[in-house]
Each structure stands twice: as structure tokens, then as C-alpha cells.
Amino acid sequence: MSEKTKEEKLKEIEELLKTYDGKMEIAPYVLKYLTIEELDSILLNLLKHQSNVIEENSQWLQQFKKPLE
């Protein structure tokens, strides 16, 4: 895989992190230490976490649901 692909993965990760912390940046030098597989793993874990948070929020909101009359 090319460096461009690693850079794109890093940007995707940064975008997901921004949804949790506001502004989050990862230094570009990190790319030389991480493989594309490691970046994919980080990305998948973030997406899984995001999905879990959405599900938990949905379940929490259900407790306030009132039947319409």
C-alpha cells in the first residue's frame, strides 16, 4: 500500500475522533510507525465504538418514549 493510502486512513481516523473530542489531530510522523493493517484496525475499532454509542443512546432514549394518545 502507498503512503497516500496511509495518509487517507489517518484522515478518516482523525475525522472520527473529532466527533468525540471536538478537534483532534494526529501528527503525520505517526504514519511511519503504523502499518496499513494497524490503521485499518484503529478505524474499525472507532467505527464499532461509534455504532455502540449510537445503540446505547437509542436504548437510553427509549425509556422516555411515551405512547401517543
Side-chain angles (χ1 to χ4, degrees):
M1 296 283 168
S2 70
E3 285 298 314
K4 181 70 172 160
T5 303
K6 287 173 78 172
E7 289 173 7
E8 290 170 353
K9 294 281 183 194
L10 190 62
K11 288 294 177 197
E12 287 180 63
I13 291 167
E14 285 179 343
E15 288 303 313
L16 281 171
L17 290 173
K18 285 179 187 178
T19 63
Y20 297 108
D21 296 328
K23 183 171 176 155
M24 176 77 177
E25 291 183 15
I26 301 172
Y29 74 85
V30 169
L31 291 178
K32 65 180 169 182
Y33 298 108
L34 297 175
T35 65
I36 194 70
E37 292 81 13
E38 290 170 320
L39 290 170
D40 282 338
S41 177
I42 292 168
L43 191 55
L44 282 172
N45 284 327
L46 283 171
L47 289 170
K48 184 176 178 181
H49 177 71
Q50 183 181 48
S51 177
N52 289 343
V53 167
I54 290 169
E55 179 64 28
E56 289 171 10
N57 287 344
S58 178
Q59 290 174 2
W60 180 78
L61 287 171
Q62 288 298 317
Q63 70 182 333
F64 301 107
K65 186 177 180 181
K66 292 182 183 179
L68 294 176
E69 297 180 21

Short mmCIF file of all heavy atoms in Angstrom, two decimals:
data_model
loop_
_atom_site.label_atom_id
_atom_site.label_comp_id
_atom_site.label_asym_id
_atom_site.label_seq_id
_atom_site.Cartn_x
_atom_site.Cartn_y
_atom_site.Cartn_z
N MET A 1 0.84 -1.18 0.00
CA MET A 1 0.00 0.00 0.00
C MET A 1 0.89 1.25 0.00
O MET A 1 1.97 1.26 0.56
CB MET A 1 -0.90 0.03 1.23
CG MET A 1 -1.89 -1.09 1.31
SD MET A 1 -3.26 -0.77 0.18
CE MET A 1 -4.05 -2.35 0.19
N SER A 2 0.38 2.28 -0.57
CA SER A 2 1.16 3.50 -0.69
C SER A 2 1.02 4.40 0.52
O SER A 2 0.12 4.24 1.34
CB SER A 2 0.70 4.26 -1.94
OG SER A 2 -0.60 4.78 -1.74
N GLU A 3 1.93 5.35 0.62
CA GLU A 3 1.85 6.34 1.70
C GLU A 3 0.55 7.14 1.61
O GLU A 3 -0.01 7.52 2.60
CB GLU A 3 3.07 7.27 1.65
CG GLU A 3 4.33 6.66 2.15
CD GLU A 3 4.27 6.24 3.61
OE1 GLU A 3 3.80 7.02 4.45
OE2 GLU A 3 4.68 5.11 3.91
N LYS A 4 0.11 7.38 0.39
CA LYS A 4 -1.14 8.13 0.19
C LYS A 4 -2.29 7.41 0.88
O LYS A 4 -3.12 8.02 1.55
CB LYS A 4 -1.42 8.30 -1.31
CG LYS A 4 -2.66 9.06 -1.64
CD LYS A 4 -2.51 10.51 -1.28
CE LYS A 4 -3.70 11.29 -1.80
NZ LYS A 4 -3.89 12.53 -1.15
N THR A 5 -2.35 6.10 0.76
CA THR A 5 -3.40 5.33 1.39
C THR A 5 -3.31 5.46 2.91
O THR A 5 -4.33 5.63 3.58
CB THR A 5 -3.30 3.84 0.98
OG1 THR A 5 -3.38 3.76 -0.43
CG2 THR A 5 -4.41 3.04 1.58
N LYS A 6 -2.11 5.40 3.46
CA LYS A 6 -1.94 5.56 4.90
C LYS A 6 -2.39 6.95 5.33
O LYS A 6 -3.04 7.10 6.37
CB LYS A 6 -0.48 5.32 5.28
CG LYS A 6 -0.09 3.84 5.21
CD LYS A 6 1.39 3.64 5.42
CE LYS A 6 1.78 3.72 6.87
NZ LYS A 6 3.19 3.34 7.11
N GLU A 7 -2.07 7.97 4.53
CA GLU A 7 -2.48 9.33 4.86
C GLU A 7 -4.00 9.45 4.84
O GLU A 7 -4.59 10.10 5.71
CB GLU A 7 -1.86 10.32 3.88
CG GLU A 7 -0.38 10.50 4.07
CD GLU A 7 0.26 11.35 2.99
OE1 GLU A 7 -0.46 11.92 2.15
OE2 GLU A 7 1.51 11.43 2.99
N GLU A 8 -4.64 8.82 3.87
CA GLU A 8 -6.10 8.85 3.79
C GLU A 8 -6.73 8.16 5.00
O GLU A 8 -7.70 8.67 5.58
CB GLU A 8 -6.58 8.19 2.50
CG GLU A 8 -6.25 8.99 1.26
CD GLU A 8 -6.52 8.24 -0.04
OE1 GLU A 8 -6.83 7.03 0.00
OE2 GLU A 8 -6.39 8.88 -1.10
N LYS A 9 -6.18 7.03 5.40
CA LYS A 9 -6.68 6.32 6.59
C LYS A 9 -6.53 7.17 7.83
O LYS A 9 -7.41 7.24 8.67
CB LYS A 9 -5.93 4.99 6.78
CG LYS A 9 -6.13 3.98 5.72
CD LYS A 9 -7.44 3.28 5.88
CE LYS A 9 -7.56 2.21 4.80
NZ LYS A 9 -8.90 1.71 4.69
N LEU A 10 -5.40 7.83 7.95
CA LEU A 10 -5.16 8.69 9.11
C LEU A 10 -6.18 9.83 9.15
O LEU A 10 -6.70 10.16 10.22
CB LEU A 10 -3.72 9.24 9.07
CG LEU A 10 -3.25 9.96 10.32
CD1 LEU A 10 -3.23 9.02 11.51
CD2 LEU A 10 -1.86 10.54 10.10
N LYS A 11 -6.50 10.39 8.00
CA LYS A 11 -7.50 11.47 7.95
C LYS A 11 -8.88 10.95 8.37
O LYS A 11 -9.61 11.62 9.09
CB LYS A 11 -7.58 12.08 6.54
CG LYS A 11 -6.39 12.92 6.19
CD LYS A 11 -6.34 14.14 7.07
CE LYS A 11 -5.11 14.97 6.77
NZ LYS A 11 -4.80 15.92 7.80
N GLU A 12 -9.23 9.73 7.93
CA GLU A 12 -10.50 9.13 8.33
C GLU A 12 -10.56 8.95 9.85
O GLU A 12 -11.58 9.24 10.48
CB GLU A 12 -10.70 7.76 7.67
CG GLU A 12 -11.01 7.81 6.20
CD GLU A 12 -11.18 6.41 5.63
OE1 GLU A 12 -12.12 5.72 6.07
OE2 GLU A 12 -10.38 6.02 4.77
N ILE A 13 -9.46 8.49 10.42
CA ILE A 13 -9.38 8.30 11.87
C ILE A 13 -9.53 9.64 12.58
O ILE A 13 -10.27 9.76 13.55
CB ILE A 13 -8.06 7.60 12.24
CG1 ILE A 13 -8.10 6.14 11.75
CG2 ILE A 13 -7.81 7.67 13.74
CD1 ILE A 13 -6.76 5.44 11.79
N GLU A 14 -8.84 10.66 12.09
CA GLU A 14 -8.94 11.99 12.69
C GLU A 14 -10.38 12.50 12.65
O GLU A 14 -10.86 13.09 13.61
CB GLU A 14 -8.02 12.98 11.98
CG GLU A 14 -6.56 12.80 12.31
CD GLU A 14 -5.65 13.77 11.56
OE1 GLU A 14 -6.09 14.38 10.56
OE2 GLU A 14 -4.51 13.93 11.99
N GLU A 15 -11.06 12.29 11.53
CA GLU A 15 -12.45 12.75 11.40
C GLU A 15 -13.35 12.06 12.42
O GLU A 15 -14.21 12.69 13.02
CB GLU A 15 -12.97 12.53 9.98
CG GLU A 15 -12.37 13.48 8.96
CD GLU A 15 -12.59 14.95 9.28
OE1 GLU A 15 -13.73 15.33 9.62
OE2 GLU A 15 -11.62 15.72 9.22
N LEU A 16 -13.16 10.77 12.61
CA LEU A 16 -13.96 10.05 13.60
C LEU A 16 -13.65 10.53 15.01
O LEU A 16 -14.55 10.69 15.84
CB LEU A 16 -13.71 8.54 13.50
CG LEU A 16 -14.43 7.83 12.38
CD1 LEU A 16 -13.94 6.40 12.25
CD2 LEU A 16 -15.93 7.85 12.60
N LEU A 17 -12.38 10.78 15.30
CA LEU A 17 -12.01 11.26 16.62
C LEU A 17 -12.59 12.65 16.90
O LEU A 17 -12.94 12.96 18.03
CB LEU A 17 -10.49 11.28 16.78
CG LEU A 17 -9.82 9.92 16.86
CD1 LEU A 17 -8.30 10.07 16.84
CD2 LEU A 17 -10.25 9.18 18.12
N LYS A 18 -12.70 13.46 15.87
CA LYS A 18 -13.27 14.80 16.04
C LYS A 18 -14.71 14.75 16.51
O LYS A 18 -15.17 15.64 17.21
CB LYS A 18 -13.18 15.59 14.73
CG LYS A 18 -11.79 16.08 14.41
CD LYS A 18 -11.77 16.83 13.10
CE LYS A 18 -10.36 17.19 12.69
NZ LYS A 18 -10.32 17.88 11.41
N THR A 19 -15.44 13.70 16.14
CA THR A 19 -16.84 13.61 16.57
C THR A 19 -16.94 13.38 18.08
O THR A 19 -17.96 13.66 18.68
CB THR A 19 -17.59 12.47 15.83
OG1 THR A 19 -16.99 11.22 16.16
CG2 THR A 19 -17.60 12.69 14.34
N TYR A 20 -15.87 12.91 18.70
CA TYR A 20 -15.88 12.67 20.14
C TYR A 20 -15.23 13.80 20.93
O TYR A 20 -15.69 14.17 21.99
CB TYR A 20 -15.17 11.36 20.47
CG TYR A 20 -15.87 10.17 19.88
CD1 TYR A 20 -15.33 9.49 18.82
CD2 TYR A 20 -17.10 9.75 20.38
CE1 TYR A 20 -15.98 8.40 18.26
CE2 TYR A 20 -17.76 8.67 19.82
CZ TYR A 20 -17.19 8.00 18.77
OH TYR A 20 -17.85 6.94 18.22
N ASP A 21 -14.15 14.35 20.44
CA ASP A 21 -13.37 15.30 21.21
C ASP A 21 -13.37 16.72 20.66
O ASP A 21 -12.63 17.55 21.14
CB ASP A 21 -11.91 14.84 21.29
CG ASP A 21 -11.75 13.54 22.03
OD1 ASP A 21 -12.53 13.27 22.95
OD2 ASP A 21 -10.82 12.80 21.68
N GLY A 22 -14.15 16.97 19.66
CA GLY A 22 -14.09 18.28 19.04
C GLY A 22 -13.00 18.30 18.01
O GLY A 22 -13.15 17.77 16.93
N LYS A 23 -11.85 18.86 18.34
CA LYS A 23 -10.75 18.92 17.37
C LYS A 23 -9.64 17.99 17.82
O LYS A 23 -9.12 18.11 18.92
CB LYS A 23 -10.22 20.35 17.27
CG LYS A 23 -9.15 20.47 16.24
CD LYS A 23 -8.77 21.89 15.98
CE LYS A 23 -7.62 21.83 14.99
NZ LYS A 23 -7.45 22.94 14.19
N MET A 24 -9.31 17.07 16.95
CA MET A 24 -8.27 16.10 17.27
C MET A 24 -7.41 15.89 16.04
O MET A 24 -7.93 15.64 14.95
CB MET A 24 -8.92 14.78 17.68
CG MET A 24 -7.98 13.66 17.95
SD MET A 24 -7.23 13.91 19.55
CE MET A 24 -6.25 12.45 19.67
N GLU A 25 -6.11 16.02 16.20
CA GLU A 25 -5.20 15.80 15.09
C GLU A 25 -4.13 14.81 15.51
O GLU A 25 -3.73 14.77 16.67
CB GLU A 25 -4.54 17.11 14.65
CG GLU A 25 -5.51 18.06 14.00
CD GLU A 25 -4.85 19.33 13.50
OE1 GLU A 25 -3.61 19.35 13.39
OE2 GLU A 25 -5.58 20.28 13.22
N ILE A 26 -3.69 14.03 14.55
CA ILE A 26 -2.62 13.08 14.79
C ILE A 26 -1.43 13.51 13.94
O ILE A 26 -1.59 13.78 12.75
CB ILE A 26 -3.05 11.65 14.41
CG1 ILE A 26 -4.28 11.24 15.23
CG2 ILE A 26 -1.91 10.66 14.63
CD1 ILE A 26 -4.90 9.94 14.81
N ALA A 27 -0.28 13.57 14.55
CA ALA A 27 0.91 14.01 13.83
C ALA A 27 1.22 13.07 12.67
O ALA A 27 1.17 11.85 12.83
CB ALA A 27 2.10 14.08 14.78
N PRO A 28 1.53 13.63 11.50
CA PRO A 28 1.81 12.81 10.31
C PRO A 28 2.98 11.84 10.47
O PRO A 28 3.01 10.81 9.82
CB PRO A 28 2.12 13.83 9.22
CG PRO A 28 1.54 15.11 9.70
CD PRO A 28 1.55 15.05 11.20
N TYR A 29 3.92 12.13 11.37
CA TYR A 29 5.07 11.23 11.53
C TYR A 29 4.64 9.86 12.05
O TYR A 29 5.37 8.87 11.92
CB TYR A 29 6.14 11.84 12.45
CG TYR A 29 5.78 11.86 13.91
CD1 TYR A 29 6.03 10.74 14.70
CD2 TYR A 29 5.20 12.97 14.49
CE1 TYR A 29 5.71 10.75 16.05
CE2 TYR A 29 4.87 12.98 15.83
CZ TYR A 29 5.12 11.86 16.61
OH TYR A 29 4.79 11.87 17.93
N VAL A 30 3.43 9.77 12.61
CA VAL A 30 2.90 8.50 13.11
C VAL A 30 2.81 7.47 11.98
O VAL A 30 2.96 6.28 12.20
CB VAL A 30 1.50 8.73 13.75
CG1 VAL A 30 0.79 7.42 14.05
CG2 VAL A 30 1.64 9.56 15.01
N LEU A 31 2.62 7.95 10.76
CA LEU A 31 2.46 7.04 9.62
C LEU A 31 3.65 6.11 9.41
O LEU A 31 3.49 4.98 8.98
CB LEU A 31 2.21 7.84 8.34
CG LEU A 31 0.86 8.56 8.27
CD1 LEU A 31 0.77 9.35 6.97
CD2 LEU A 31 -0.28 7.57 8.36
N LYS A 32 4.85 6.60 9.73
CA LYS A 32 6.00 5.73 9.50
C LYS A 32 6.09 4.63 10.54
O LYS A 32 6.81 3.66 10.35
CB LYS A 32 7.29 6.53 9.42
CG LYS A 32 7.72 7.25 10.66
CD LYS A 32 9.03 7.99 10.39
CE LYS A 32 9.34 8.93 11.53
NZ LYS A 32 10.56 9.69 11.28
N TYR A 33 5.36 4.74 11.63
CA TYR A 33 5.38 3.71 12.67
C TYR A 33 4.22 2.73 12.58
O TYR A 33 4.28 1.66 13.17
CB TYR A 33 5.38 4.37 14.06
CG TYR A 33 6.59 5.24 14.28
CD1 TYR A 33 6.48 6.62 14.30
CD2 TYR A 33 7.84 4.68 14.46
CE1 TYR A 33 7.60 7.43 14.50
CE2 TYR A 33 8.96 5.46 14.66
CZ TYR A 33 8.83 6.84 14.68
OH TYR A 33 9.93 7.63 14.86
N LEU A 34 3.15 3.10 11.89
CA LEU A 34 1.98 2.25 11.79
C LEU A 34 1.85 1.63 10.40
O LEU A 34 2.11 2.29 9.40
CB LEU A 34 0.71 3.05 12.10
CG LEU A 34 0.59 3.62 13.50
CD1 LEU A 34 -0.65 4.49 13.61
CD2 LEU A 34 0.56 2.52 14.54
N THR A 35 1.43 0.40 10.37
CA THR A 35 1.18 -0.26 9.09
C THR A 35 -0.24 0.06 8.65
O THR A 35 -1.07 0.52 9.45
CB THR A 35 1.32 -1.79 9.21
OG1 THR A 35 0.30 -2.28 10.09
CG2 THR A 35 2.70 -2.19 9.72
N ILE A 36 -0.55 -0.23 7.41
CA ILE A 36 -1.91 -0.02 6.90
C ILE A 36 -2.89 -0.91 7.67
O ILE A 36 -4.02 -0.52 7.94
CB ILE A 36 -1.98 -0.23 5.37
CG1 ILE A 36 -3.28 0.32 4.79
CG2 ILE A 36 -1.81 -1.67 5.00
CD1 ILE A 36 -3.38 1.80 4.80
N GLU A 37 -2.44 -2.09 8.06
CA GLU A 37 -3.28 -3.01 8.83
C GLU A 37 -3.61 -2.43 10.21
O GLU A 37 -4.74 -2.56 10.69
CB GLU A 37 -2.62 -4.39 8.97
CG GLU A 37 -2.52 -5.16 7.68
CD GLU A 37 -1.34 -4.75 6.80
OE1 GLU A 37 -0.43 -4.03 7.28
OE2 GLU A 37 -1.34 -5.14 5.63
N GLU A 38 -2.63 -1.81 10.83
CA GLU A 38 -2.86 -1.19 12.13
C GLU A 38 -3.83 -0.01 12.01
O GLU A 38 -4.71 0.17 12.85
CB GLU A 38 -1.54 -0.73 12.76
CG GLU A 38 -0.68 -1.89 13.19
CD GLU A 38 0.72 -1.47 13.58
OE1 GLU A 38 1.31 -0.59 12.91
OE2 GLU A 38 1.24 -2.04 14.56
N LEU A 39 -3.67 0.78 10.95
CA LEU A 39 -4.59 1.89 10.72
C LEU A 39 -6.01 1.38 10.46
O LEU A 39 -6.98 1.94 10.97
CB LEU A 39 -4.11 2.75 9.56
CG LEU A 39 -2.84 3.56 9.82
CD1 LEU A 39 -2.33 4.18 8.53
CD2 LEU A 39 -3.09 4.63 10.87
N ASP A 40 -6.12 0.29 9.69
CA ASP A 40 -7.43 -0.31 9.44
C ASP A 40 -8.06 -0.79 10.74
O ASP A 40 -9.25 -0.63 10.97
CB ASP A 40 -7.31 -1.49 8.47
CG ASP A 40 -7.17 -1.04 7.03
OD1 ASP A 40 -7.57 0.10 6.70
OD2 ASP A 40 -6.68 -1.85 6.22
N SER A 41 -7.25 -1.39 11.59
CA SER A 41 -7.75 -1.89 12.88
C SER A 41 -8.25 -0.73 13.76
O SER A 41 -9.31 -0.83 14.38
CB SER A 41 -6.63 -2.64 13.60
OG SER A 41 -7.06 -3.06 14.86
N ILE A 42 -7.50 0.35 13.80
CA ILE A 42 -7.91 1.53 14.57
C ILE A 42 -9.23 2.07 14.02
O ILE A 42 -10.16 2.37 14.77
CB ILE A 42 -6.82 2.62 14.53
CG1 ILE A 42 -5.60 2.15 15.32
CG2 ILE A 42 -7.34 3.94 15.09
CD1 ILE A 42 -4.36 3.01 15.11
N LEU A 43 -9.31 2.16 12.70
CA LEU A 43 -10.51 2.67 12.05
C LEU A 43 -11.71 1.78 12.35
O LEU A 43 -12.79 2.26 12.72
CB LEU A 43 -10.27 2.77 10.55
CG LEU A 43 -11.30 3.51 9.72
CD1 LEU A 43 -11.54 4.91 10.23
CD2 LEU A 43 -10.85 3.56 8.27
N LEU A 44 -11.55 0.48 12.25
CA LEU A 44 -12.64 -0.45 12.55
C LEU A 44 -13.08 -0.36 14.00
O LEU A 44 -14.28 -0.39 14.30
CB LEU A 44 -12.22 -1.89 12.22
CG LEU A 44 -12.23 -2.26 10.76
CD1 LEU A 44 -11.62 -3.64 10.55
CD2 LEU A 44 -13.64 -2.24 10.20
N ASN A 45 -12.12 -0.24 14.91
CA ASN A 45 -12.48 -0.11 16.33
C ASN A 45 -13.24 1.18 16.60
O ASN A 45 -14.18 1.20 17.40
CB ASN A 45 -11.23 -0.20 17.20
CG ASN A 45 -10.73 -1.61 17.34
OD1 ASN A 45 -11.51 -2.57 17.35
ND2 ASN A 45 -9.43 -1.76 17.44
N LEU A 46 -12.84 2.26 15.96
CA LEU A 46 -13.56 3.53 16.13
C LEU A 46 -14.97 3.44 15.58
O LEU A 46 -15.92 3.93 16.20
CB LEU A 46 -12.80 4.67 15.45
CG LEU A 46 -11.58 5.19 16.19
CD1 LEU A 46 -10.81 6.15 15.31
CD2 LEU A 46 -11.98 5.86 17.49
N LEU A 47 -15.13 2.82 14.42
CA LEU A 47 -16.46 2.67 13.83
C LEU A 47 -17.34 1.77 14.70
O LEU A 47 -18.53 2.05 14.88
CB LEU A 47 -16.36 2.09 12.42
CG LEU A 47 -15.79 3.05 11.37
CD1 LEU A 47 -15.51 2.31 10.07
CD2 LEU A 47 -16.72 4.23 11.14
N LYS A 48 -16.75 0.73 15.26
CA LYS A 48 -17.50 -0.16 16.16
C LYS A 48 -17.93 0.60 17.42
O LYS A 48 -19.07 0.49 17.86
CB LYS A 48 -16.65 -1.37 16.53
CG LYS A 48 -17.36 -2.38 17.38
CD LYS A 48 -16.48 -3.59 17.63
CE LYS A 48 -17.20 -4.58 18.53
NZ LYS A 48 -16.37 -5.75 18.82
N HIS A 49 -17.02 1.38 17.96
CA HIS A 49 -17.34 2.17 19.15
C HIS A 49 -18.45 3.16 18.84
O HIS A 49 -19.38 3.33 19.63
CB HIS A 49 -16.10 2.90 19.65
CG HIS A 49 -16.35 3.79 20.82
ND1 HIS A 49 -16.61 3.30 22.07
CD2 HIS A 49 -16.43 5.13 20.91
CE1 HIS A 49 -16.84 4.31 22.89
NE2 HIS A 49 -16.72 5.43 22.20
N GLN A 50 -18.37 3.81 17.70
CA GLN A 50 -19.39 4.77 17.29
C GLN A 50 -20.74 4.08 17.18
O GLN A 50 -21.76 4.60 17.64
CB GLN A 50 -19.00 5.41 15.97
CG GLN A 50 -19.96 6.48 15.50
CD GLN A 50 -19.53 7.05 14.16
OE1 GLN A 50 -19.21 6.31 13.24
NE2 GLN A 50 -19.52 8.36 14.07
N SER A 51 -20.78 2.92 16.60
CA SER A 51 -22.01 2.16 16.46
C SER A 51 -22.58 1.78 17.83
O SER A 51 -23.79 1.88 18.06
CB SER A 51 -21.75 0.89 15.64
OG SER A 51 -22.90 0.12 15.54
N ASN A 52 -21.71 1.37 18.74
CA ASN A 52 -22.15 1.02 20.10
C ASN A 52 -22.72 2.23 20.83
O ASN A 52 -23.72 2.12 21.54
CB ASN A 52 -21.00 0.42 20.90
CG ASN A 52 -20.61 -0.95 20.43
OD1 ASN A 52 -21.35 -1.62 19.73
ND2 ASN A 52 -19.42 -1.38 20.80
N VAL A 53 -22.10 3.38 20.67
CA VAL A 53 -22.59 4.61 21.31
C VAL A 53 -23.97 4.97 20.77
O VAL A 53 -24.87 5.31 21.53
CB VAL A 53 -21.59 5.78 21.11
CG1 VAL A 53 -22.21 7.11 21.50
CG2 VAL A 53 -20.32 5.53 21.90
N ILE A 54 -24.14 4.86 19.47
CA ILE A 54 -25.44 5.16 18.86
C ILE A 54 -26.50 4.21 19.40
O ILE A 54 -27.60 4.64 19.77
CB ILE A 54 -25.35 5.09 17.32
CG1 ILE A 54 -24.51 6.26 16.80
CG2 ILE A 54 -26.75 5.10 16.69
CD1 ILE A 54 -24.14 6.14 15.34
N GLU A 55 -26.18 2.93 19.49
CA GLU A 55 -27.13 1.94 20.01
C GLU A 55 -27.47 2.21 21.48
O GLU A 55 -28.62 2.17 21.88
CB GLU A 55 -26.54 0.53 19.85
CG GLU A 55 -27.43 -0.56 20.38
CD GLU A 55 -28.75 -0.71 19.64
OE1 GLU A 55 -28.82 -0.36 18.45
OE2 GLU A 55 -29.73 -1.14 20.27
N GLU A 56 -26.45 2.52 22.29
CA GLU A 56 -26.67 2.82 23.70
C GLU A 56 -27.54 4.07 23.86
O GLU A 56 -28.44 4.10 24.70
CB GLU A 56 -25.34 3.01 24.43
CG GLU A 56 -24.56 1.73 24.62
CD GLU A 56 -23.16 1.97 25.14
OE1 GLU A 56 -22.83 3.10 25.54
OE2 GLU A 56 -22.39 0.99 25.15
N ASN A 57 -27.28 5.09 23.06
CA ASN A 57 -28.08 6.31 23.13
C ASN A 57 -29.52 6.03 22.73
O ASN A 57 -30.46 6.55 23.35
CB ASN A 57 -27.50 7.40 22.23
CG ASN A 57 -26.23 8.00 22.79
OD1 ASN A 57 -25.92 7.83 23.97
ND2 ASN A 57 -25.49 8.69 21.96
N SER A 58 -29.71 5.22 21.74
CA SER A 58 -31.05 4.86 21.29
C SER A 58 -31.80 4.12 22.38
O SER A 58 -32.97 4.40 22.66
CB SER A 58 -30.96 4.01 20.03
OG SER A 58 -32.24 3.62 19.60
N GLN A 59 -31.13 3.16 23.02
CA GLN A 59 -31.75 2.42 24.12
C GLN A 59 -32.08 3.34 25.28
O GLN A 59 -33.13 3.23 25.90
CB GLN A 59 -30.84 1.28 24.57
CG GLN A 59 -30.72 0.17 23.57
CD GLN A 59 -29.70 -0.87 23.96
OE1 GLN A 59 -29.08 -0.79 25.01
NE2 GLN A 59 -29.51 -1.85 23.09
N TRP A 60 -31.20 4.26 25.59
CA TRP A 60 -31.43 5.19 26.69
C TRP A 60 -32.64 6.07 26.39
O TRP A 60 -33.46 6.31 27.26
CB TRP A 60 -30.17 6.04 26.90
CG TRP A 60 -30.29 7.02 28.02
CD1 TRP A 60 -30.20 6.77 29.35
CD2 TRP A 60 -30.54 8.42 27.89
NE1 TRP A 60 -30.37 7.92 30.07
CE2 TRP A 60 -30.59 8.96 29.19
CE3 TRP A 60 -30.74 9.27 26.81
CZ2 TRP A 60 -30.81 10.31 29.43
CZ3 TRP A 60 -30.95 10.61 27.06
CH2 TRP A 60 -30.99 11.12 28.36
N LEU A 61 -32.74 6.55 25.16
CA LEU A 61 -33.87 7.41 24.79
C LEU A 61 -35.20 6.66 24.82
O LEU A 61 -36.24 7.27 25.09
CB LEU A 61 -33.64 8.01 23.40
CG LEU A 61 -32.58 9.09 23.34
CD1 LEU A 61 -32.30 9.45 21.88
CD2 LEU A 61 -33.00 10.32 24.11
N GLN A 62 -35.18 5.37 24.59
CA GLN A 62 -36.41 4.59 24.60
C GLN A 62 -37.12 4.63 25.96
O GLN A 62 -38.34 4.53 26.02
CB GLN A 62 -36.12 3.13 24.22
CG GLN A 62 -35.79 2.92 22.78
CD GLN A 62 -36.94 3.30 21.86
OE1 GLN A 62 -38.10 3.00 22.12
NE2 GLN A 62 -36.61 3.99 20.78
N GLN A 63 -36.38 4.83 27.03
CA GLN A 63 -37.01 4.86 28.34
C GLN A 63 -37.91 6.08 28.52
O GLN A 63 -38.78 6.09 29.40
CB GLN A 63 -35.94 4.80 29.45
CG GLN A 63 -35.10 6.04 29.58
CD GLN A 63 -34.04 5.91 30.65
OE1 GLN A 63 -34.19 5.15 31.60
NE2 GLN A 63 -32.95 6.64 30.48
N PHE A 64 -37.74 7.09 27.71
CA PHE A 64 -38.55 8.29 27.81
C PHE A 64 -39.70 8.31 26.81
O PHE A 64 -40.48 9.25 26.78
CB PHE A 64 -37.68 9.54 27.58
CG PHE A 64 -36.55 9.64 28.58
CD1 PHE A 64 -35.25 9.38 28.20
CD2 PHE A 64 -36.81 9.94 29.91
CE1 PHE A 64 -34.22 9.46 29.11
CE2 PHE A 64 -35.78 10.01 30.84
CZ PHE A 64 -34.47 9.77 30.44
N LYS A 65 -39.77 7.27 26.02
CA LYS A 65 -40.80 7.20 24.99
C LYS A 65 -42.16 6.99 25.65
O LYS A 65 -42.34 6.12 26.48
CB LYS A 65 -40.48 6.05 24.04
CG LYS A 65 -41.38 5.96 22.86
CD LYS A 65 -40.91 4.82 21.95
CE LYS A 65 -41.79 4.69 20.74
NZ LYS A 65 -41.35 3.59 19.89
N LYS A 66 -43.12 7.82 25.24
CA LYS A 66 -44.48 7.70 25.77
C LYS A 66 -45.41 7.36 24.62
O LYS A 66 -45.24 7.85 23.50
CB LYS A 66 -44.94 9.03 26.38
CG LYS A 66 -44.21 9.42 27.62
CD LYS A 66 -44.75 10.71 28.17
CE LYS A 66 -43.96 11.14 29.38
NZ LYS A 66 -44.49 12.40 29.92
N PRO A 67 -46.38 6.52 24.89
CA PRO A 67 -47.33 6.20 23.83
C PRO A 67 -48.17 7.43 23.46
O PRO A 67 -48.56 8.22 24.33
CB PRO A 67 -48.21 5.10 24.41
CG PRO A 67 -47.88 5.02 25.86
CD PRO A 67 -46.65 5.83 26.12
N LEU A 68 -48.41 7.60 22.17
CA LEU A 68 -49.25 8.70 21.70
C LEU A 68 -50.72 8.32 21.88
O LEU A 68 -51.13 7.22 21.61
CB LEU A 68 -48.98 9.00 20.23
CG LEU A 68 -47.59 9.53 19.92
CD1 LEU A 68 -47.41 9.69 18.42
CD2 LEU A 68 -47.36 10.87 20.60
N GLU A 69 -51.50 9.26 22.38
CA GLU A 69 -52.93 9.00 22.58
C GLU A 69 -53.77 9.88 21.70
O GLU A 69 -53.44 10.89 21.27
CB GLU A 69 -53.30 9.21 24.05
CG GLU A 69 -52.57 8.23 24.94
CD GLU A 69 -52.93 8.44 26.39
OE1 GLU A 69 -53.97 9.04 26.70
OE2 GLU A 69 -52.16 8.01 27.23
#
